[in-house]
Amino acid sequence: MPGKKGGAPSAHDVVPTPVRVSRVRREMAGVTTLELTPVSAFGFVPGQFNMLYMFGLGEVAISLSGDPAEESRIVHTMRAVGAVSQAIARLRRNDAIGVRGPYGSSWPVLDSEGSDVVIVAGGLGLAPLRPVIYHVLTHRERYGKVVVLYGARGPADILYRRELEAWRRRLDVDITVTVDHAAADWWGNVGVVPALIARAPIDPDHTVAMVCGPEIMMRFTVDALRERGLVTDRIFLSMERNMKCAIGFCGHCQFGPVFVCRDGPVFRFDRLASFFNIREL
Ligand SMILES: Cc1cc2nc3c(=O)[nH]c(=O)nc-3n(C[C@H](O)[C@H](O)[C@H](O)COP(=O)(O)OP(=O)(O)OC[C@H]3O[C@@H](n4cnc5c(N)ncnc54)[C@H](O)[C@@H]3O)c2cc1C
Ligand code: FES
């Protein structure tokens, strides 16, 4: 497994390495977190993804969602939507899966040191942002205010619920969760996540925003952040587009002038703005 951070792709990068599943956790209906044991130390930076290969079936791009400081575990959270992801969701402890990666750009965790950090996630979009939260909380003294705004469809769809509750108990991080719809026994916020931005403690001149979720949610989130005064070069998004090679060869993930696999998936918004509204090309 390449296990490298950046650099030019080589033939080695397209050969999956078989690894064992060490743990399977059902997060909610259709959503599973897999822990894999790499054959050697596996390093990544928050925002990167792996290609997971089900032997004889195909490959899917899945973000790394574990702690970047841990090199002995690879963690992925995924929704079973099609043939490959459904087959992965059926894996059990000690089964094998092919892995190649890590690939792609990272969230600006180092460049944000000294700034306030606002993390805005919708649904499974919390998975690629969880490594940022781990990193920022491990190095808490390097950052200003840390704000996490998370939205799920309903209370049963809240990802990493126990961790969100644990983070919320800390006094040095501001966590707000909202759901689109809820029954009378939900006492929390109801409404879409971009609506939280108007009343979030954001100082636009000292804040870096990192956003991941469905594209419609990201669109409204960017509008709300800009209304709060954030300039576009302080807003970062992660784009999930269909991928095949993941190393900039096939053109499958082309998005305007960029290849999401090679230039992304994390982009500064001003570099995407002119073609952000265009669906898959
Ligand atoms: C950089 C990157 C990171 C990603 N990270 C994650 C991750 O951490 N977790 C995760 O669950 N997924 C993630 N995805 C999406 C994931 O790659 C796709 O869901 C996967 O490729 C589906 O493959 P499949 O063969 O199972 O389904 P396909 O046969 O490709 O799709 C089956 C059906 O599901 C629809 N579909 C495909 N993807 C999605 C989706 N994401 N949501 C809803 N419907 C979909 C298709 O349009 C199709 O109708 C990521 C994608 C990219 C590019
Ligand atoms: S997936 Fe092949 S160029 Fe991006």
Side-chain angles (χ1 to χ4, degrees):
M1 178 178 319
K4 62 175 176 41
K5 301 179 183 185
S10 70
H12 187 58
D13 289 352
V14 293
V15 180
T17 302
V19 302
R20 292 274 164 209
V21 175
S22 47
R23 192 166 173 220
V24 179
R25 183 186 157 86
R26 301 278 166 235
E27 300 284 357
M28 65 186 82
V31 178
T32 303
T33 293
L34 283 187
E35 290 183 17
L36 312 173
T37 306
V39 288
S40 57
F42 180 88
F44 74 99
V45 284
Q48 289 192 302
F49 65 96
N50 275 335
M51 295 300 287
L52 301 186
Y53 177 53
M54 280 305 289
F55 299 100
L57 201 58
E59 273 189 315
V60 288
I62 302 292
S63 303
L64 286 143
S65 58
D67 186 342
E70 278 186 13
E71 298 197 325
S72 58
R73 277 196 313 168
I74 302 174
V75 182
H76 291 291
T77 297
M78 48 184 304
R79 191 185 300 283
V81 292
V84 180
S85 51
Q86 283 167 7
I88 293 174
R90 286 192 291 271
L91 289 173
R92 295 286 172 268
R93 190 174 140 81
N94 288 328
D95 286 344
I97 184 169
V99 176
R100 61 184 177 99
Y103 298 121
S105 59
S106 67
W107 299 106
V109 282
L110 297 181
D111 290 346
S112 303
E113 289 185 1
S115 299
D116 296 347
V117 173
V118 174
I119 291 167
V120 191
L124 245 60
L126 188 56
L129 280 163
R130 187 168 67 163
V132 178
I133 301 175
Y134 286 137
H135 179 90
V136 166
L137 295 184
T138 302
H139 304 284
R140 186 64 192 86
E141 71 291 352
R142 299 185 192 168
Y143 299 89
K145 222 170 345 186
V146 177
V147 176
V148 178
L149 307 175
Y150 176 58
R153 271 180 301 190
D157 303 305
I158 295 172
L159 187 63
Y160 309 142
R161 189 180 189 130
R162 259 182 289 170
E163 270 181 308
L164 282 165
E165 285 168 357
W167 293 328
R168 195 145 65 169
R169 283 195 292 274
R170 293 176 60 132
L171 299 178
D172 58 356
V173 50
D174 189 322
I175 307 262
T176 305
V177 174
T178 186
V179 296
D180 297 348
H181 313 283
D185 59 351
W186 167 257
W187 294 97
N189 297 294
V190 177
V192 292
V193 69
L196 298 176
I197 291 168
R199 53 193 157 95
I202 295 175
D203 173 356
D205 296 330
H206 298 102
T207 295
V208 176
M210 308 184 203
V211 184
C212 190
E215 285 193 24
I216 182 82
M217 166 263 170
M218 292 202 287
R219 215 166 289 154
F220 283 110
T221 298
V222 169
D223 290 347
L225 289 168
R226 294 180 72 181
E227 272 169 32
R228 288 294 307 268
L230 244 80
V231 290
T232 52
D233 63 5
R234 287 182 165 270
I235 302 174
F236 293 78
L237 310 178
S238 182
M239 301 296 302
E240 291 189 2
R241 291 282 163 138
N242 284 334
M243 286 189 188
K244 289 283 180 211
C245 71
I247 56 170
F249 283 171
C250 73
H252 208 79
C253 66
Q254 194 171 357
F255 184 49
V258 299
F259 287 179
V260 176
C261 69
R262 186 194 58 198
D263 307 312
V266 177
F267 292 93
R268 213 173 74 183
F269 182 72
D270 56 330
R271 300 193 172 132
L272 277 185
S274 59
F275 46 96
F276 185 56
N277 288 327
I278 304 172
R279 294 185 64 78
E280 298 262 353
L281 299 175

